[in-house]
Amino acid sequence: MTGVLTRNETLVAVVIALFCIVATASDPNFLTVTTLSDLLRASIVLGILATGAMLVLISGGIDVSFTAVAVSAMYVTTTLSLALWPDMPWYLIFAASILVGAGLGAINGIFIAGFGLPTLIVTLGTLSVFRGCLLTFVGSERISALPPEMRNFSRMMIARGTTEGGDFYALPWALAALALVVFLTAFILHKTMLGRSIFAIGGSVESARRIGINVRRIQFFVYVYVGALAGLAGILQGSMGRMADPFSLVGLELSVIAAVVLGGARLVGGYGTITGTLLGVALIVLVQNSLIVIGIPSTWQSVTIGLLILLGTGLPAFQAKRAAARAG
């Protein structure tokens, strides 16, 4: 796509603005500090998972197992902490969950980079395997008595207060984790040879091999990195929700992939932006949390997200086809 006005980022930003205008017209209290803080809070886990999914799409693959990785890492880490070291500091708990997530991501990497199996097939399989092993061998009960340090982390706030109208708002420190993930991923993609290699193999695996890129090593890194991000997202989900629920995040794959695709990442690989992904996350969070404000039943949430996916993928494809016809 050429021209700023036809970019997915611009289109998504316009849709967000229109959505906010309609929601504010329906409820003048929609754009308040309280609502915005709630939306930011709801964006943390989705944003981290979407950043990982974007990296996979850029590399030319697709991953649908990240929710199972996230939940497995969170639940395993929580149960081990309670059994071995209940007073483990929160940063060590988080590090352990990230390591578990990276380990599960490495399993994806071995099958994809090592054996050359299709990414969708592998991650569909590991989605079921990880979730099944978690429920069978680790546990299937919701744990509300979390380690004290996880509960303490959930109370750590960047800012909190009460508006003039008496409404409470709070910005958790978990938001800093999202900011760190975004900064680190942007640095890797745009400031390192590793990032250039990820774009290259997404554009053409064969061309990447010809210029000396170790495709297997890059692919393995991608899935380990995405697993680590999923582990972080999972432990944040458990901490902020103050419950280790082995059934949480089920079905979130659609929303995450929708956010990334709406942000402009191409399913064929080779393209994707952090800005577009974050805008896609913002739109999905608005849809998930605010449909009822504008008078649309929440049961229409999946329909709306599906239509947004069709719009986000169909419009660029139509524009590209039209541009190719003109060039021909």
PDB file of all heavy atoms in Angstrom, residues 208-242:
ATOM      1  N   ALA A 208      16.618 -15.447   1.959  1.00  0.00           N
ATOM      2  CA  ALA A 208      17.349 -15.260   3.213  1.00  0.00           C
ATOM      3  C   ALA A 208      18.497 -16.258   3.324  1.00  0.00           C
ATOM      4  O   ALA A 208      19.602 -15.911   3.752  1.00  0.00           O
ATOM      5  CB  ALA A 208      16.396 -15.411   4.395  1.00  0.00           C
ATOM      6  N   ARG A 209      18.261 -17.490   2.915  1.00  0.00           N
ATOM      7  CA  ARG A 209      19.323 -18.506   2.950  1.00  0.00           C
ATOM      8  C   ARG A 209      20.468 -18.128   2.002  1.00  0.00           C
ATOM      9  O   ARG A 209      21.650 -18.301   2.325  1.00  0.00           O
ATOM     10  CB  ARG A 209      18.758 -19.871   2.560  1.00  0.00           C
ATOM     11  CG  ARG A 209      17.933 -20.557   3.629  1.00  0.00           C
ATOM     12  CD  ARG A 209      17.805 -22.046   3.353  1.00  0.00           C
ATOM     13  NE  ARG A 209      17.012 -22.698   4.391  1.00  0.00           N
ATOM     14  CZ  ARG A 209      15.715 -22.993   4.273  1.00  0.00           C
ATOM     15  NH1 ARG A 209      15.080 -22.686   3.146  1.00  0.00           N
ATOM     16  NH2 ARG A 209      15.061 -23.575   5.251  1.00  0.00           N
ATOM     17  N   ARG A 210      20.115 -17.599   0.844  1.00  0.00           N
ATOM     18  CA  ARG A 210      21.134 -17.272  -0.158  1.00  0.00           C
ATOM     19  C   ARG A 210      22.065 -16.165   0.302  1.00  0.00           C
ATOM     20  O   ARG A 210      23.218 -16.103  -0.145  1.00  0.00           O
ATOM     21  CB  ARG A 210      20.449 -16.874  -1.470  1.00  0.00           C
ATOM     22  CG  ARG A 210      19.804 -18.054  -2.195  1.00  0.00           C
ATOM     23  CD  ARG A 210      19.057 -17.600  -3.431  1.00  0.00           C
ATOM     24  NE  ARG A 210      18.441 -18.726  -4.144  1.00  0.00           N
ATOM     25  CZ  ARG A 210      17.611 -18.602  -5.169  1.00  0.00           C
ATOM     26  NH1 ARG A 210      17.320 -17.386  -5.632  1.00  0.00           N
ATOM     27  NH2 ARG A 210      17.104 -19.666  -5.742  1.00  0.00           N
ATOM     28  N   ILE A 211      21.565 -15.269   1.164  1.00  0.00           N
ATOM     29  CA  ILE A 211      22.437 -14.186   1.631  1.00  0.00           C
ATOM     30  C   ILE A 211      23.131 -14.536   2.951  1.00  0.00           C
ATOM     31  O   ILE A 211      23.743 -13.680   3.587  1.00  0.00           O
ATOM     32  CB  ILE A 211      21.657 -12.858   1.785  1.00  0.00           C
ATOM     33  CG1 ILE A 211      20.539 -12.994   2.825  1.00  0.00           C
ATOM     34  CG2 ILE A 211      21.111 -12.403   0.448  1.00  0.00           C
ATOM     35  CD1 ILE A 211      19.805 -11.682   3.093  1.00  0.00           C
ATOM     36  N   GLY A 212      23.036 -15.798   3.339  1.00  0.00           N
ATOM     37  CA  GLY A 212      23.805 -16.281   4.472  1.00  0.00           C
ATOM     38  C   GLY A 212      23.124 -16.262   5.817  1.00  0.00           C
ATOM     39  O   GLY A 212      23.772 -16.459   6.848  1.00  0.00           O
ATOM     40  N   ILE A 213      21.805 -16.052   5.855  1.00  0.00           N
ATOM     41  CA  ILE A 213      21.078 -16.035   7.126  1.00  0.00           C
ATOM     42  C   ILE A 213      20.812 -17.468   7.580  1.00  0.00           C
ATOM     43  O   ILE A 213      20.366 -18.304   6.798  1.00  0.00           O
ATOM     44  CB  ILE A 213      19.745 -15.262   6.988  1.00  0.00           C
ATOM     45  CG1 ILE A 213      20.023 -13.780   6.732  1.00  0.00           C
ATOM     46  CG2 ILE A 213      18.887 -15.434   8.242  1.00  0.00           C
ATOM     47  CD1 ILE A 213      18.763 -12.963   6.465  1.00  0.00           C
ATOM     48  N   ASN A 214      21.081 -17.727   8.847  1.00  0.00           N
ATOM     49  CA  ASN A 214      20.796 -19.039   9.431  1.00  0.00           C
ATOM     50  C   ASN A 214      19.305 -19.074   9.794  1.00  0.00           C
ATOM     51  O   ASN A 214      18.900 -18.667  10.878  1.00  0.00           O
ATOM     52  CB  ASN A 214      21.655 -19.273  10.675  1.00  0.00           C
ATOM     53  CG  ASN A 214      21.571 -20.707  11.178  1.00  0.00           C
ATOM     54  OD1 ASN A 214      20.525 -21.337  11.120  1.00  0.00           O
ATOM     55  ND2 ASN A 214      22.674 -21.218  11.688  1.00  0.00           N
ATOM     56  N   VAL A 215      18.507 -19.541   8.856  1.00  0.00           N
ATOM     57  CA  VAL A 215      17.054 -19.492   8.996  1.00  0.00           C
ATOM     58  C   VAL A 215      16.586 -20.280  10.212  1.00  0.00           C
ATOM     59  O   VAL A 215      15.726 -19.817  10.978  1.00  0.00           O
ATOM     60  CB  VAL A 215      16.365 -20.012   7.716  1.00  0.00           C
ATOM     61  CG1 VAL A 215      14.851 -20.124   7.930  1.00  0.00           C
ATOM     62  CG2 VAL A 215      16.661 -19.087   6.553  1.00  0.00           C
ATOM     63  N   ARG A 216      17.142 -21.449  10.427  1.00  0.00           N
ATOM     64  CA  ARG A 216      16.709 -22.284  11.550  1.00  0.00           C
ATOM     65  C   ARG A 216      16.973 -21.594  12.880  1.00  0.00           C
ATOM     66  O   ARG A 216      16.129 -21.619  13.785  1.00  0.00           O
ATOM     67  CB  ARG A 216      17.421 -23.632  11.510  1.00  0.00           C
ATOM     68  CG  ARG A 216      16.954 -24.545  10.389  1.00  0.00           C
ATOM     69  CD  ARG A 216      17.597 -25.908  10.511  1.00  0.00           C
ATOM     70  NE  ARG A 216      17.063 -26.850   9.530  1.00  0.00           N
ATOM     71  CZ  ARG A 216      17.397 -28.131   9.455  1.00  0.00           C
ATOM     72  NH1 ARG A 216      18.283 -28.613  10.334  1.00  0.00           N
ATOM     73  NH2 ARG A 216      16.871 -28.917   8.550  1.00  0.00           N
ATOM     74  N   ARG A 217      18.145 -20.971  13.007  1.00  0.00           N
ATOM     75  CA  ARG A 217      18.490 -20.302  14.259  1.00  0.00           C
ATOM     76  C   ARG A 217      17.543 -19.128  14.524  1.00  0.00           C
ATOM     77  O   ARG A 217      17.105 -18.923  15.656  1.00  0.00           O
ATOM     78  CB  ARG A 217      19.934 -19.817  14.210  1.00  0.00           C
ATOM     79  CG  ARG A 217      20.428 -19.199  15.512  1.00  0.00           C
ATOM     80  CD  ARG A 217      21.882 -18.795  15.390  1.00  0.00           C
ATOM     81  NE  ARG A 217      22.729 -19.953  15.109  1.00  0.00           N
ATOM     82  CZ  ARG A 217      24.021 -19.863  14.810  1.00  0.00           C
ATOM     83  NH1 ARG A 217      24.606 -18.684  14.739  1.00  0.00           N
ATOM     84  NH2 ARG A 217      24.718 -20.960  14.596  1.00  0.00           N
ATOM     85  N   ILE A 218      17.218 -18.370  13.483  1.00  0.00           N
ATOM     86  CA  ILE A 218      16.320 -17.219  13.640  1.00  0.00           C
ATOM     87  C   ILE A 218      14.919 -17.690  14.020  1.00  0.00           C
ATOM     88  O   ILE A 218      14.269 -17.132  14.912  1.00  0.00           O
ATOM     89  CB  ILE A 218      16.268 -16.382  12.347  1.00  0.00           C
ATOM     90  CG1 ILE A 218      17.657 -15.845  12.003  1.00  0.00           C
ATOM     91  CG2 ILE A 218      15.279 -15.227  12.495  1.00  0.00           C
ATOM     92  CD1 ILE A 218      18.274 -14.964  13.052  1.00  0.00           C
ATOM     93  N   GLN A 219      14.440 -18.727  13.332  1.00  0.00           N
ATOM     94  CA  GLN A 219      13.111 -19.246  13.648  1.00  0.00           C
ATOM     95  C   GLN A 219      13.052 -19.765  15.084  1.00  0.00           C
ATOM     96  O   GLN A 219      12.070 -19.525  15.785  1.00  0.00           O
ATOM     97  CB  GLN A 219      12.736 -20.363  12.668  1.00  0.00           C
ATOM     98  CG  GLN A 219      12.388 -19.887  11.275  1.00  0.00           C
ATOM     99  CD  GLN A 219      12.051 -21.038  10.345  1.00  0.00           C
ATOM    100  OE1 GLN A 219      12.634 -22.124  10.436  1.00  0.00           O
ATOM    101  NE2 GLN A 219      11.116 -20.819   9.438  1.00  0.00           N
ATOM    102  N   PHE A 220      14.092 -20.469  15.505  1.00  0.00           N
ATOM    103  CA  PHE A 220      14.120 -20.983  16.872  1.00  0.00           C
ATOM    104  C   PHE A 220      14.070 -19.833  17.875  1.00  0.00           C
ATOM    105  O   PHE A 220      13.332 -19.886  18.865  1.00  0.00           O
ATOM    106  CB  PHE A 220      15.377 -21.824  17.095  1.00  0.00           C
ATOM    107  CG  PHE A 220      15.437 -22.486  18.444  1.00  0.00           C
ATOM    108  CD1 PHE A 220      14.658 -23.597  18.718  1.00  0.00           C
ATOM    109  CD2 PHE A 220      16.258 -21.988  19.450  1.00  0.00           C
ATOM    110  CE1 PHE A 220      14.692 -24.217  19.960  1.00  0.00           C
ATOM    111  CE2 PHE A 220      16.309 -22.592  20.693  1.00  0.00           C
ATOM    112  CZ  PHE A 220      15.528 -23.712  20.950  1.00  0.00           C
ATOM    113  N   PHE A 221      14.842 -18.780  17.619  1.00  0.00           N
ATOM    114  CA  PHE A 221      14.809 -17.611  18.506  1.00  0.00           C
ATOM    115  C   PHE A 221      13.411 -17.019  18.591  1.00  0.00           C
ATOM    116  O   PHE A 221      12.939 -16.665  19.675  1.00  0.00           O
ATOM    117  CB  PHE A 221      15.782 -16.533  18.022  1.00  0.00           C
ATOM    118  CG  PHE A 221      15.554 -15.207  18.697  1.00  0.00           C
ATOM    119  CD1 PHE A 221      16.054 -14.962  19.973  1.00  0.00           C
ATOM    120  CD2 PHE A 221      14.797 -14.215  18.075  1.00  0.00           C
ATOM    121  CE1 PHE A 221      15.805 -13.745  20.607  1.00  0.00           C
ATOM    122  CE2 PHE A 221      14.556 -13.000  18.704  1.00  0.00           C
ATOM    123  CZ  PHE A 221      15.064 -12.768  19.973  1.00  0.00           C
ATOM    124  N   VAL A 222      12.743 -16.885  17.447  1.00  0.00           N
ATOM    125  CA  VAL A 222      11.412 -16.267  17.420  1.00  0.00           C
ATOM    126  C   VAL A 222      10.457 -16.992  18.356  1.00  0.00           C
ATOM    127  O   VAL A 222       9.759 -16.370  19.168  1.00  0.00           O
ATOM    128  CB  VAL A 222      10.854 -16.245  15.981  1.00  0.00           C
ATOM    129  CG1 VAL A 222       9.352 -15.920  15.990  1.00  0.00           C
ATOM    130  CG2 VAL A 222      11.598 -15.219  15.136  1.00  0.00           C
ATOM    131  N   TYR A 223      10.426 -18.310  18.289  1.00  0.00           N
ATOM    132  CA  TYR A 223       9.455 -19.062  19.096  1.00  0.00           C
ATOM    133  C   TYR A 223       9.846 -19.117  20.569  1.00  0.00           C
ATOM    134  O   TYR A 223       8.969 -19.142  21.445  1.00  0.00           O
ATOM    135  CB  TYR A 223       9.243 -20.449  18.498  1.00  0.00           C
ATOM    136  CG  TYR A 223       8.461 -20.364  17.206  1.00  0.00           C
ATOM    137  CD1 TYR A 223       9.127 -20.314  15.982  1.00  0.00           C
ATOM    138  CD2 TYR A 223       7.082 -20.262  17.213  1.00  0.00           C
ATOM    139  CE1 TYR A 223       8.424 -20.173  14.794  1.00  0.00           C
ATOM    140  CE2 TYR A 223       6.363 -20.124  16.036  1.00  0.00           C
ATOM    141  CZ  TYR A 223       7.039 -20.076  14.831  1.00  0.00           C
ATOM    142  OH  TYR A 223       6.344 -19.918  13.664  1.00  0.00           O
ATOM    143  N   VAL A 224      11.147 -19.103  20.863  1.00  0.00           N
ATOM    144  CA  VAL A 224      11.578 -19.010  22.264  1.00  0.00           C
ATOM    145  C   VAL A 224      11.209 -17.644  22.834  1.00  0.00           C
ATOM    146  O   VAL A 224      10.707 -17.537  23.955  1.00  0.00           O
ATOM    147  CB  VAL A 224      13.097 -19.252  22.385  1.00  0.00           C
ATOM    148  CG1 VAL A 224      13.575 -18.936  23.804  1.00  0.00           C
ATOM    149  CG2 VAL A 224      13.430 -20.697  22.037  1.00  0.00           C
ATOM    150  N   TYR A 225      11.447 -16.586  22.047  1.00  0.00           N
ATOM    151  CA  TYR A 225      11.136 -15.222  22.493  1.00  0.00           C
ATOM    152  C   TYR A 225       9.638 -15.054  22.714  1.00  0.00           C
ATOM    153  O   TYR A 225       9.197 -14.481  23.724  1.00  0.00           O
ATOM    154  CB  TYR A 225      11.638 -14.228  21.456  1.00  0.00           C
ATOM    155  CG  TYR A 225      11.453 -12.769  21.838  1.00  0.00           C
ATOM    156  CD1 TYR A 225      12.258 -12.181  22.808  1.00  0.00           C
ATOM    157  CD2 TYR A 225      10.482 -11.989  21.219  1.00  0.00           C
ATOM    158  CE1 TYR A 225      12.089 -10.838  23.159  1.00  0.00           C
ATOM    159  CE2 TYR A 225      10.317 -10.649  21.554  1.00  0.00           C
ATOM    160  CZ  TYR A 225      11.125 -10.081  22.525  1.00  0.00           C
ATOM    161  OH  TYR A 225      10.954  -8.759  22.865  1.00  0.00           O
ATOM    162  N   VAL A 226       8.847 -15.560  21.780  1.00  0.00           N
ATOM    163  CA  VAL A 226       7.390 -15.464  21.921  1.00  0.00           C
ATOM    164  C   VAL A 226       6.916 -16.266  23.129  1.00  0.00           C
ATOM    165  O   VAL A 226       6.006 -15.835  23.856  1.00  0.00           O
ATOM    166  CB  VAL A 226       6.697 -15.951  20.626  1.00  0.00           C
ATOM    167  CG1 VAL A 226       5.187 -16.064  20.822  1.00  0.00           C
ATOM    168  CG2 VAL A 226       7.006 -15.002  19.486  1.00  0.00           C
ATOM    169  N   GLY A 227       7.525 -17.415  23.376  1.00  0.00           N
ATOM    170  CA  GLY A 227       7.185 -18.189  24.564  1.00  0.00           C
ATOM    171  C   GLY A 227       7.496 -17.429  25.841  1.00  0.00           C
ATOM    172  O   GLY A 227       6.719 -17.456  26.802  1.00  0.00           O
ATOM    173  N   ALA A 228       8.644 -16.746  25.856  1.00  0.00           N
ATOM    174  CA  ALA A 228       9.019 -15.944  27.025  1.00  0.00           C
ATOM    175  C   ALA A 228       8.005 -14.821  27.256  1.00  0.00           C
ATOM    176  O   ALA A 228       7.593 -14.560  28.398  1.00  0.00           O
ATOM    177  CB  ALA A 228      10.417 -15.368  26.839  1.00  0.00           C
ATOM    178  N   LEU A 229       7.591 -14.147  26.187  1.00  0.00           N
ATOM    179  CA  LEU A 229       6.579 -13.088  26.318  1.00  0.00           C
ATOM    180  C   LEU A 229       5.259 -13.665  26.828  1.00  0.00           C
ATOM    181  O   LEU A 229       4.575 -13.043  27.649  1.00  0.00           O
ATOM    182  CB  LEU A 229       6.355 -12.391  24.973  1.00  0.00           C
ATOM    183  CG  LEU A 229       7.512 -11.573  24.399  1.00  0.00           C
ATOM    184  CD1 LEU A 229       7.043 -10.795  23.167  1.00  0.00           C
ATOM    185  CD2 LEU A 229       8.085 -10.617  25.433  1.00  0.00           C
ATOM    186  N   ALA A 230       4.905 -14.859  26.349  1.00  0.00           N
ATOM    187  CA  ALA A 230       3.674 -15.499  26.813  1.00  0.00           C
ATOM    188  C   ALA A 230       3.771 -15.829  28.294  1.00  0.00           C
ATOM    189  O   ALA A 230       2.796 -15.669  29.049  1.00  0.00           O
ATOM    190  CB  ALA A 230       3.397 -16.767  26.001  1.00  0.00           C
ATOM    191  N   GLY A 231       4.952 -16.293  28.738  1.00  0.00           N
ATOM    192  CA  GLY A 231       5.139 -16.566  30.157  1.00  0.00           C
ATOM    193  C   GLY A 231       4.964 -15.318  30.998  1.00  0.00           C
ATOM    194  O   GLY A 231       4.358 -15.357  32.083  1.00  0.00           O
ATOM    195  N   LEU A 232       5.479 -14.197  30.514  1.00  0.00           N
ATOM    196  CA  LEU A 232       5.307 -12.918  31.217  1.00  0.00           C
ATOM    197  C   LEU A 232       3.836 -12.514  31.246  1.00  0.00           C
ATOM    198  O   LEU A 232       3.316 -12.109  32.294  1.00  0.00           O
ATOM    199  CB  LEU A 232       6.137 -11.837  30.528  1.00  0.00           C
ATOM    200  CG  LEU A 232       5.968 -10.405  31.061  1.00  0.00           C
ATOM    201  CD1 LEU A 232       6.356 -10.310  32.528  1.00  0.00           C
ATOM    202  CD2 LEU A 232       6.768  -9.418  30.211  1.00  0.00           C
ATOM    203  N   ALA A 233       3.168 -12.631  30.094  1.00  0.00           N
ATOM    204  CA  ALA A 233       1.754 -12.265  30.026  1.00  0.00           C
ATOM    205  C   ALA A 233       0.923 -13.130  30.967  1.00  0.00           C
ATOM    206  O   ALA A 233      -0.006 -12.636  31.630  1.00  0.00           O
ATOM    207  CB  ALA A 233       1.243 -12.397  28.593  1.00  0.00           C
ATOM    208  N   GLY A 234       1.235 -14.415  31.040  1.00  0.00           N
ATOM    209  CA  GLY A 234       0.472 -15.321  31.895  1.00  0.00           C
ATOM    210  C   GLY A 234       0.600 -14.974  33.364  1.00  0.00           C
ATOM    211  O   GLY A 234      -0.400 -14.920  34.088  1.00  0.00           O
ATOM    212  N   ILE A 235       1.822 -14.712  33.828  1.00  0.00           N
ATOM    213  CA  ILE A 235       2.009 -14.400  35.249  1.00  0.00           C
ATOM    214  C   ILE A 235       1.411 -13.038  35.592  1.00  0.00           C
ATOM    215  O   ILE A 235       0.916 -12.831  36.709  1.00  0.00           O
ATOM    216  CB  ILE A 235       3.508 -14.468  35.629  1.00  0.00           C
ATOM    217  CG1 ILE A 235       3.658 -14.688  37.140  1.00  0.00           C
ATOM    218  CG2 ILE A 235       4.256 -13.251  35.155  1.00  0.00           C
ATOM    219  CD1 ILE A 235       3.188 -16.015  37.632  1.00  0.00           C
ATOM    220  N   LEU A 236       1.414 -12.110  34.638  1.00  0.00           N
ATOM    221  CA  LEU A 236       0.741 -10.825  34.861  1.00  0.00           C
ATOM    222  C   LEU A 236      -0.772 -11.023  34.961  1.00  0.00           C
ATOM    223  O   LEU A 236      -1.436 -10.400  35.797  1.00  0.00           O
ATOM    224  CB  LEU A 236       1.068  -9.845  33.730  1.00  0.00           C
ATOM    225  CG  LEU A 236       2.472  -9.250  33.734  1.00  0.00           C
ATOM    226  CD1 LEU A 236       2.718  -8.460  32.447  1.00  0.00           C
ATOM    227  CD2 LEU A 236       2.676  -8.340  34.950  1.00  0.00           C
ATOM    228  N   GLN A 237      -1.309 -11.891  34.114  1.00  0.00           N
ATOM    229  CA  GLN A 237      -2.737 -12.195  34.160  1.00  0.00           C
ATOM    230  C   GLN A 237      -3.119 -12.770  35.516  1.00  0.00           C
ATOM    231  O   GLN A 237      -4.119 -12.364  36.127  1.00  0.00           O
ATOM    232  CB  GLN A 237      -3.086 -13.190  33.048  1.00  0.00           C
ATOM    233  CG  GLN A 237      -4.498 -13.767  33.100  1.00  0.00           C
ATOM    234  CD  GLN A 237      -5.551 -12.797  32.619  1.00  0.00           C
ATOM    235  OE1 GLN A 237      -5.225 -11.759  32.040  1.00  0.00           O
ATOM    236  NE2 GLN A 237      -6.816 -13.130  32.837  1.00  0.00           N
ATOM    237  N   GLY A 238      -2.330 -13.718  36.013  1.00  0.00           N
ATOM    238  CA  GLY A 238      -2.619 -14.308  37.314  1.00  0.00           C
ATOM    239  C   GLY A 238      -2.483 -13.321  38.447  1.00  0.00           C
ATOM    240  O   GLY A 238      -3.309 -13.294  39.370  1.00  0.00           O
ATOM    241  N   SER A 239      -1.449 -12.478  38.397  1.00  0.00           N
ATOM    242  CA  SER A 239      -1.213 -11.511  39.468  1.00  0.00           C
ATOM    243  C   SER A 239      -2.301 -10.445  39.507  1.00  0.00           C
ATOM    244  O   SER A 239      -2.855 -10.148  40.573  1.00  0.00           O
ATOM    245  CB  SER A 239       0.162 -10.852  39.285  1.00  0.00           C
ATOM    246  OG  SER A 239       1.193 -11.794  39.382  1.00  0.00           O
ATOM    247  N   MET A 240      -2.610  -9.860  38.353  1.00  0.00           N
ATOM    248  CA  MET A 240      -3.615  -8.787  38.326  1.00  0.00           C
ATOM    249  C   MET A 240      -5.006  -9.316  38.632  1.00  0.00           C
ATOM    250  O   MET A 240      -5.825  -8.636  39.243  1.00  0.00           O
ATOM    251  CB  MET A 240      -3.595  -8.077  36.964  1.00  0.00           C
ATOM    252  CG  MET A 240      -2.321  -7.281  36.712  1.00  0.00           C
ATOM    253  SD  MET A 240      -2.450  -6.220  35.247  1.00  0.00           S
ATOM    254  CE  MET A 240      -2.701  -7.440  33.951  1.00  0.00           C
ATOM    255  N   GLY A 241      -5.292 -10.553  38.191  1.00  0.00           N
ATOM    256  CA  GLY A 241      -6.587 -11.150  38.481  1.00  0.00           C
ATOM    257  C   GLY A 241      -6.658 -11.781  39.852  1.00  0.00           C
ATOM    258  O   GLY A 241      -7.721 -12.212  40.283  1.00  0.00           O
ATOM    259  N   ARG A 242      -5.479 -11.860  40.531  1.00  0.00           N
ATOM    260  CA  ARG A 242      -5.358 -12.432  41.879  1.00  0.00           C
ATOM    261  C   ARG A 242      -5.912 -13.860  41.949  1.00  0.00           C
ATOM    262  O   ARG A 242      -6.543 -14.257  42.923  1.00  0.00           O
ATOM    263  CB  ARG A 242      -6.045 -11.536  42.908  1.00  0.00           C
ATOM    264  CG  ARG A 242      -5.474 -10.126  42.941  1.00  0.00           C
ATOM    265  CD  ARG A 242      -6.016  -9.303  44.069  1.00  0.00           C
ATOM    266  NE  ARG A 242      -5.471  -7.931  43.995  1.00  0.00           N
ATOM    267  CZ  ARG A 242      -5.706  -6.981  44.897  1.00  0.00           C
ATOM    268  NH1 ARG A 242      -6.457  -7.261  45.959  1.00  0.00           N
ATOM    269  NH2 ARG A 242      -5.195  -5.782  44.750  1.00  0.00           N
TER     270      ARG A 242
END
